[in-house]
């Protein structure tokens, strides 16, 4: 977010829209978060450390104290790196799942409890059927919805919390255990997450952030190709 002079004011993250006070009529200024900033000469390793330490997916590139020059995101770093023979098993997070008949209220509770942004959706016998993430829910909140006719006074979030997960989940992109990270770079760019499966059942999830630790010096040092200047 910038002002009329292109001075950096802060960033807005999708997870902020999951608060009970969020609605399509909410003012964007109420969700602005002040973040650390990067300069053009900052080392890539420093950007990785900032992403991992804060949980933010991107940081602004600032010049002349306050002018926004661009943004560097976790995926910008990942697509310009090489991961050797590392497999998804070495970086995936354990899969925390829910069933399609669960409500979005249950999904939100799990996301907050485990501090995660996505949940694989399974059938009653444990087979992967879809996925839902914080951006999907934020998109739904952004759409004006009529108040429940049988319960006047219910706000947007109250109505949304009762929606069934199966009614808004997306198809999940999945790979088998042992898949090489280098083979999945394009998929990480095109999808918000990749579900790792065994016998069609989710056993883990990988995101760009999950692979970033492999790029820190303690893992033998990152290998980067050229990262273009921000436009």
């Amino acid at each position: 977010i910038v002002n009329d002079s292109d001075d950096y004011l802060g960033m807005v993250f999708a997870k902020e829209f999951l608060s009970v006070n969020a609605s399509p009529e909410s003012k964007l200024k109420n969700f602005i978060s002040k973040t650390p900033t990067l300069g053009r000469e900052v080392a890539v390793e420093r950007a990785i450390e900032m992403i991992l330490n804060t949980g933010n997916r991107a940081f602004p590139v600032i010049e002349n104290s306050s002018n926004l020059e661009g943004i560097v995101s976790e995926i910008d770093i990942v697509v310009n790196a090489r991961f050797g023979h590392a497999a998804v098993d070495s970086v995936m997070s354990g899969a925390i799942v829910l069933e399609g008949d669960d409500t979005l209220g249950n999904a939100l509770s799990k996301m907050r409890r485990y501090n995660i942004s996505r949940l694989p959706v399974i059938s009653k016998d444990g087979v992967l059927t879809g996925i839902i993430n914080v951006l999907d829910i934020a998109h739904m909140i952004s759409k004006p919805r009529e108040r429940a006719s049988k319960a006047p006074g219910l706000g947007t979030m109250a109505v949304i919390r009762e929606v069934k997960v199966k009614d808004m989940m997306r198809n999940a992109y999945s790979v088998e255990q042992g898949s090489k990270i280098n083979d999945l770079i394009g998929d990480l760019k095109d999808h918000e997450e990749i579900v790792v499966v065994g016998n069609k059942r989710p056993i883990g999830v990988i995101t760009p952030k999950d692979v970033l630790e492999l790029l820190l010096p303690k893992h033998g040092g990152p290998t980067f190709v050229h990262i273009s200047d921000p436009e």
Side-chain angles (χ1 to χ4, degrees):
I1 302 294
V2 298
N3 61 19
D4 293 338
S5 301
D6 288 334
D7 295 326
Y8 174 69
L9 300 179
M11 299 186 74
V12 176
F13 299 99
K15 61 184 179 182
E16 300 299 328
F17 296 131
L18 301 186
S19 69
V20 294
N21 297 320
S23 74
E25 294 77 26
S26 298
K27 300 295 185 181
L28 197 60
K29 65 181 181 180
N30 296 328
F31 299 95
I32 295 177
S33 299
K34 295 293 288 185
T35 70
T37 62
L38 299 170
R40 285 179 177 268
E41 302 304 317
V42 170
V44 173
E45 288 86 351
R46 175 55 181 157
I48 294 172
E49 290 172 349
M50 288 171 62
I51 290 171
L52 293 176
N53 290 336
T54 65
N56 294 341
R57 299 174 61 180
F59 288 100
V61 178
I62 302 295
E63 292 296 323
N64 301 322
S65 300
S66 61
N67 292 124
L68 180 65
E69 295 288 313
I71 292 176
V72 172
S73 70
E74 57 188 11
I75 194 63
D76 292 328
I77 299 173
V78 168
V79 299
N80 288 285
R82 298 293 179 263
F83 297 91
H85 299 290
V88 293
D89 310 55
S90 64
V91 298
M92 67 183 184
S93 303
I96 298 173
V97 303
L98 74 169
E99 294 185 3
D101 284 330
D102 284 334
T103 64
L104 286 188
N106 291 338
L108 287 170
S109 295
K110 279 194 173 183
M111 288 180 181
R112 294 191 184 107
R113 184 186 316 146
Y114 297 104
N115 193 28
I116 55 178
S117 298
R118 68 264 305 152
L119 293 164
V121 183
I122 59 173
S123 62
K124 292 188 180 299
D125 57 358
V127 173
L128 179 68
T129 60
I131 196 162
I132 186 171
N133 69 20
V134 66
L135 291 176
D136 300 321
I137 300 175
H139 178 68
M140 189 172 198
I141 294 173
S142 71
K143 295 181 178 180
R145 300 179 66 85
E146 295 181 358
R147 296 178 185 272
S149 59
K150 294 184 179 180
L154 283 180
T156 300
M157 278 302 295
V159 174
I160 288 174
R161 289 180 67 88
E162 297 306 314
V163 173
K164 294 294 181 67
V165 168
K166 65 183 178 183
D167 293 331
M168 63 169 298
M169 69 180 184
R170 295 176 288 109
N171 290 330
Y173 184 82
S174 63
V175 298
E176 294 288 336
Q177 288 178 275
S179 298
K180 302 302 182 187
I181 294 174
N182 272 338
D183 296 333
L184 302 175
I185 298 303
D187 301 316
L188 280 171
K189 183 177 181 180
D190 295 336
H191 302 274
E192 286 294 325
E193 61 282 302
I194 297 176
V195 182
V196 182
V197 298
N199 194 27
K200 299 183 180 180
R201 289 162 171 77
I203 58 176
V205 177
I206 62 169
T207 68
K209 188 178 278 85
D210 290 321
V211 303
L212 286 183
E213 286 191 10
L214 293 177
L215 303 180
L216 293 177
K218 64 181 180 180
H219 289 280
T223 302
F224 294 101
V225 296
H226 176 67
I227 299 180
S228 301
D229 289 334
E231 297 180 354

